[in-house]
Amino acid sequence: MSLISELIAESLREGTPIESLLRKAYVVSRKLGLDDFSKLMYQELNGYNNTNDVPVYRVVKGALRGLDDYNGWIPTVIPHELEDALLLRRLMQPVAELNVIYNSGEDPLIIGLAASINEELSKVFMGPPTLYGVAISRASIYKILDNIKTSILTWALDLESAGIVGDGIEFSLTEIETAKSTPNIYNFTNNFFSNVEASQIQQGTIDSNMEA
Protein backbone atom coordinates (compact mmCIF):
# COMPACT_ATOMS: atom_id res chain seq x y z
CA MET A 1 0.00 0.00 0.00
CA SER A 2 1.31 3.45 -0.91
CA LEU A 3 1.94 6.10 1.74
CA ILE A 4 -1.01 8.15 0.43
CA SER A 5 -3.34 5.15 0.61
CA GLU A 6 -2.15 4.49 4.16
CA LEU A 7 -2.79 8.12 5.09
CA ILE A 8 -6.33 7.98 3.74
CA ALA A 9 -7.10 4.66 5.40
CA GLU A 10 -5.70 5.76 8.76
CA SER A 11 -7.56 9.07 8.61
CA LEU A 12 -10.81 7.12 8.30
CA ARG A 13 -9.96 4.62 11.03
CA GLU A 14 -11.30 5.44 14.49
CA GLY A 15 -8.58 5.38 17.09
CA THR A 16 -5.66 6.31 14.84
CA PRO A 17 -3.45 8.60 16.96
CA ILE A 18 -3.54 12.10 15.52
CA GLU A 19 0.22 12.41 16.10
CA SER A 20 0.76 9.44 13.78
CA LEU A 21 -1.29 11.10 11.03
CA LEU A 22 0.64 14.33 11.43
CA ARG A 23 4.02 12.59 11.22
CA LYS A 24 3.00 10.69 8.10
CA ALA A 25 1.59 13.84 6.47
CA TYR A 26 4.81 15.65 7.42
CA VAL A 27 6.93 13.00 5.67
CA VAL A 28 4.75 13.14 2.54
CA SER A 29 4.83 16.94 2.34
CA ARG A 30 8.61 17.00 2.84
CA LYS A 31 9.10 14.39 0.11
CA LEU A 32 6.90 16.40 -2.27
CA GLY A 33 8.58 19.70 -1.45
CA LEU A 34 5.34 21.27 -0.14
CA ASP A 35 7.01 23.59 2.34
CA ASP A 36 3.93 25.40 3.64
CA PHE A 37 2.10 22.18 4.44
CA SER A 38 5.14 20.54 6.02
CA LYS A 39 5.62 23.65 8.19
CA LEU A 40 1.99 23.39 9.33
CA MET A 41 2.38 19.69 10.19
CA TYR A 42 5.64 20.38 12.06
CA GLN A 43 4.05 23.16 14.11
CA GLU A 44 1.01 21.01 14.91
CA LEU A 45 3.40 18.40 16.30
CA ASN A 46 5.70 20.80 18.14
CA GLY A 47 3.55 23.83 18.93
CA TYR A 48 3.45 27.36 17.56
CA ASN A 49 5.93 30.09 18.48
CA ASN A 50 4.49 32.87 16.35
CA THR A 51 0.85 33.99 16.55
CA ASN A 52 0.89 34.81 12.82
CA ASP A 53 1.45 31.11 12.06
CA VAL A 54 -1.57 29.87 14.04
CA PRO A 55 -4.38 28.64 11.73
CA VAL A 56 -7.94 29.92 12.18
CA TYR A 57 -9.22 26.53 13.36
CA ARG A 58 -7.11 27.00 16.50
CA VAL A 59 -8.86 30.27 17.38
CA VAL A 60 -11.50 29.75 20.08
CA LYS A 61 -13.87 32.11 21.84
CA GLY A 62 -14.58 31.59 25.51
CA ALA A 63 -16.45 33.23 28.36
CA LEU A 64 -14.98 35.36 31.12
CA ARG A 65 -14.83 33.81 34.59
CA GLY A 66 -13.75 35.30 37.89
CA LEU A 67 -12.22 33.23 40.70
CA ASP A 68 -14.38 33.41 43.82
CA ASP A 69 -12.87 32.29 47.13
CA TYR A 70 -15.93 30.22 47.99
CA ASN A 71 -17.50 29.18 44.67
CA GLY A 72 -14.49 28.76 42.38
CA TRP A 73 -14.67 30.08 38.81
CA ILE A 74 -17.95 31.96 38.35
CA PRO A 75 -19.44 33.60 35.21
CA THR A 76 -18.62 37.28 34.81
CA VAL A 77 -20.32 39.74 32.48
CA ILE A 78 -17.80 41.56 30.31
CA PRO A 79 -18.29 44.95 28.59
CA HIS A 80 -19.18 44.29 24.94
CA GLU A 81 -16.32 46.40 23.58
CA LEU A 82 -13.79 44.17 25.37
CA GLU A 83 -15.18 40.82 24.20
CA ASP A 84 -13.00 40.09 21.17
CA ALA A 85 -9.83 41.44 22.77
CA LEU A 86 -10.21 39.22 25.84
CA LEU A 87 -12.24 36.20 24.78
CA LEU A 88 -10.70 35.26 21.41
CA ARG A 89 -7.66 33.05 21.97
CA ARG A 90 -5.16 31.29 19.73
CA LEU A 91 -4.27 27.89 21.20
CA MET A 92 -0.60 27.31 20.46
CA GLN A 93 0.16 24.04 22.27
CA PRO A 94 1.43 20.91 20.45
CA VAL A 95 -1.42 18.67 19.35
CA ALA A 96 -0.33 15.98 21.83
CA GLU A 97 -0.90 18.43 24.67
CA LEU A 98 -4.34 19.36 23.33
CA ASN A 99 -5.13 15.66 23.13
CA VAL A 100 -4.20 15.14 26.79
CA ILE A 101 -6.28 18.17 27.80
CA TYR A 102 -9.30 16.86 25.87
CA ASN A 103 -8.94 13.35 27.32
CA SER A 104 -8.77 14.77 30.85
CA GLY A 105 -12.55 15.14 30.66
CA GLU A 106 -12.49 18.54 32.35
CA ASP A 107 -15.14 20.96 31.09
CA PRO A 108 -14.84 23.87 30.83
CA LEU A 109 -11.10 24.58 30.68
CA ILE A 110 -9.67 27.81 32.03
CA ILE A 111 -7.15 29.97 30.15
CA GLY A 112 -5.35 32.25 32.60
CA LEU A 113 -4.98 35.98 31.92
CA ALA A 114 -1.89 38.11 32.41
CA ALA A 115 -1.45 39.91 35.73
CA SER A 116 -1.84 43.30 34.04
CA ILE A 117 -5.19 42.26 32.54
CA ASN A 118 -6.39 40.94 35.91
CA GLU A 119 -5.51 44.29 37.42
CA GLU A 120 -7.37 46.26 34.74
CA LEU A 121 -10.46 44.03 34.97
CA SER A 122 -10.54 44.49 38.75
CA LYS A 123 -10.67 48.24 38.09
CA VAL A 124 -13.42 47.84 35.47
CA PHE A 125 -15.55 45.86 37.91
CA MET A 126 -14.62 48.22 40.76
CA GLY A 127 -13.89 45.31 43.07
CA PRO A 128 -10.96 43.89 45.03
CA PRO A 129 -8.03 42.31 43.13
CA THR A 130 -9.40 39.17 41.49
CA LEU A 131 -8.07 36.44 39.23
CA TYR A 132 -9.87 36.20 35.90
CA GLY A 133 -9.74 33.57 33.21
CA VAL A 134 -11.35 32.62 29.90
CA ALA A 135 -13.42 29.45 30.03
CA ILE A 136 -13.47 27.37 26.85
CA SER A 137 -15.48 24.23 26.27
CA ARG A 138 -14.00 20.77 25.91
CA ALA A 139 -15.92 20.57 22.62
CA SER A 140 -13.78 23.41 21.21
CA ILE A 141 -10.67 21.27 21.75
CA TYR A 142 -12.34 18.32 20.03
CA LYS A 143 -13.22 20.59 17.10
CA ILE A 144 -9.55 21.51 16.64
CA LEU A 145 -8.43 17.87 16.70
CA ASP A 146 -11.20 16.82 14.31
CA ASN A 147 -10.38 19.69 11.95
CA ILE A 148 -6.77 18.54 11.76
CA LYS A 149 -7.80 14.96 10.91
CA THR A 150 -10.29 16.09 8.27
CA SER A 151 -7.76 18.46 6.72
CA ILE A 152 -5.17 15.69 6.39
CA LEU A 153 -7.79 13.40 4.83
CA THR A 154 -8.90 16.07 2.33
CA TRP A 155 -5.29 16.85 1.42
CA ALA A 156 -4.46 13.15 0.91
CA LEU A 157 -7.55 12.70 -1.28
CA ASP A 158 -6.51 15.72 -3.38
CA LEU A 159 -3.08 14.12 -3.85
CA GLU A 160 -4.63 10.82 -4.89
CA SER A 161 -7.02 12.56 -7.32
CA ALA A 162 -4.03 14.26 -8.95
CA GLY A 163 -2.33 10.88 -9.46
CA ILE A 164 0.16 11.39 -6.64
CA VAL A 165 0.29 8.09 -4.76
CA GLY A 166 3.99 7.33 -4.35
CA ASP A 167 5.89 4.08 -4.24
CA GLY A 168 6.44 3.18 -0.60
CA ILE A 169 7.71 6.42 0.90
CA GLU A 170 9.19 7.74 -2.35
CA PHE A 171 7.62 9.88 -5.10
CA SER A 172 8.57 10.26 -8.74
CA LEU A 173 9.79 13.55 -10.23
CA THR A 174 6.52 13.75 -12.15
CA GLU A 175 4.51 13.42 -8.93
CA ILE A 176 6.64 16.09 -7.22
CA GLU A 177 6.17 18.46 -10.18
CA THR A 178 2.42 17.76 -10.23
CA ALA A 179 2.10 18.53 -6.52
CA LYS A 180 3.89 21.85 -6.93
CA SER A 181 1.88 22.86 -9.99
CA THR A 182 -1.61 21.90 -8.73
CA PRO A 183 -3.12 24.97 -7.00
CA ASN A 184 -5.47 23.17 -4.60
CA ILE A 185 -2.52 21.08 -3.37
CA TYR A 186 0.31 23.62 -3.34
CA ASN A 187 -1.91 26.34 -1.85
CA PHE A 188 -3.85 24.04 0.48
CA THR A 189 -2.80 25.88 3.64
CA ASN A 190 -4.34 29.15 2.39
CA ASN A 191 -7.65 27.77 3.68
CA PHE A 192 -6.41 28.02 7.27
CA PHE A 193 -5.57 31.70 7.56
CA SER A 194 -7.62 34.89 7.71
CA ASN A 195 -6.94 38.60 7.63
CA VAL A 196 -7.47 39.03 11.38
CA GLU A 197 -4.55 40.91 12.90
CA ALA A 198 -2.52 38.89 15.39
CA SER A 199 -2.84 41.72 17.91
CA GLN A 200 -6.61 41.24 17.96
CA ILE A 201 -6.39 37.63 19.11
CA GLN A 202 -4.37 36.75 22.17
CA GLN A 203 -2.20 33.72 22.79
CA GLY A 204 -3.93 31.15 24.98
CA THR A 205 -2.34 28.78 27.46
CA ILE A 206 -4.69 26.41 29.24
CA ASP A 207 -4.16 26.36 32.99
CA SER A 208 -4.26 23.36 35.24
CA ASN A 209 -6.95 25.24 37.21
CA MET A 210 -10.24 23.80 36.01
CA GLU A 211 -13.74 24.71 37.02
CA ALA A 212 -15.37 22.10 39.20
Side-chain angles (χ1 to χ4, degrees):
M1 183 182 290
S2 73
L3 196 55
I4 302 303
S5 296
E6 287 180 15
L7 197 53
I8 293 171
E10 291 177 11
S11 296
L12 294 171
R13 188 178 303 129
E14 290 294 332
T16 299
I18 191 169
E19 297 90 340
S20 175
L21 291 177
L22 285 165
R23 291 189 191 98
K24 193 160 287 187
Y26 177 67
V27 169
V28 171
S29 57
R30 283 289 301 270
K31 293 282 186 179
L32 291 172
L34 300 174
D35 295 339
D36 288 345
F37 196 85
S38 65
K39 178 182 177 181
L40 182 68
M41 297 297 97
Y42 181 86
Q43 291 179 133
E44 284 296 342
L45 285 165
N46 296 284
Y48 292 82
N49 295 316
N50 189 328
T51 55
N52 290 322
D53 291 337
V54 179
V56 292
Y57 59 77
R58 274 177 169 260
V59 176
V60 299
K61 186 171 185 177
L64 188 65
R65 299 290 173 94
L67 184 59
D68 180 80
D69 290 340
Y70 301 101
N71 299 303
W73 294 100
I74 60 174
T76 305
V77 178
I78 185 175
H80 179 71
E81 63 271 17
L82 297 178
E83 278 191 8
D84 285 353
L86 284 177
L87 303 184
L88 285 177
R89 298 278 145 174
R90 296 184 193 267
L91 301 187
M92 303 176 71
Q93 294 93 333
V95 74
E97 188 174 331
L98 290 182
N99 219 8
V100 169
I101 291 168
Y102 175 76
N103 289 327
S104 73
E106 298 289 347
D107 196 14
L109 305 157
I110 302 298
I111 297 176
L113 297 176
S116 58
I117 297 178
N118 280 297
E119 184 178 344
E120 289 302 315
L121 285 174
S122 295
K123 292 177 182 177
V124 168
F125 295 119
M126 295 182 291
T130 302
L131 285 178
Y132 293 93
V134 177
I136 63 171
S137 68
R138 183 168 173 255
S140 65
I141 303 295
Y142 177 82
K143 185 177 179 181
I144 293 172
L145 299 174
D146 188 63
N147 203 313
I148 294 170
K149 289 182 179 180
T150 302
S151 296
I152 290 174
L153 173 61
T154 303
W155 180 72
L157 288 170
D158 286 348
L159 290 172
E160 186 181 59
S161 295
I164 303 167
V165 294
D167 181 9
I169 63 171
E170 300 299 331
F171 296 89
S172 68
L173 289 176
T174 299
E175 288 175 316
I176 293 172
E177 291 171 0
T178 300
K180 290 183 176 182
S181 62
T182 305
N184 64 311
I185 294 173
Y186 188 75
N187 299 319
F188 191 85
T189 59
N190 289 353
N191 300 319
F192 304 140
F193 300 92
S194 70
N195 294 323
V196 178
E197 293 292 333
S199 60
Q200 292 178 280
I201 305 178
Q202 303 301 315
Q203 176 178 342
T205 301
I206 299 173
D207 287 351
S208 58
N209 294 322
M210 308 297 182
E211 181 180 76

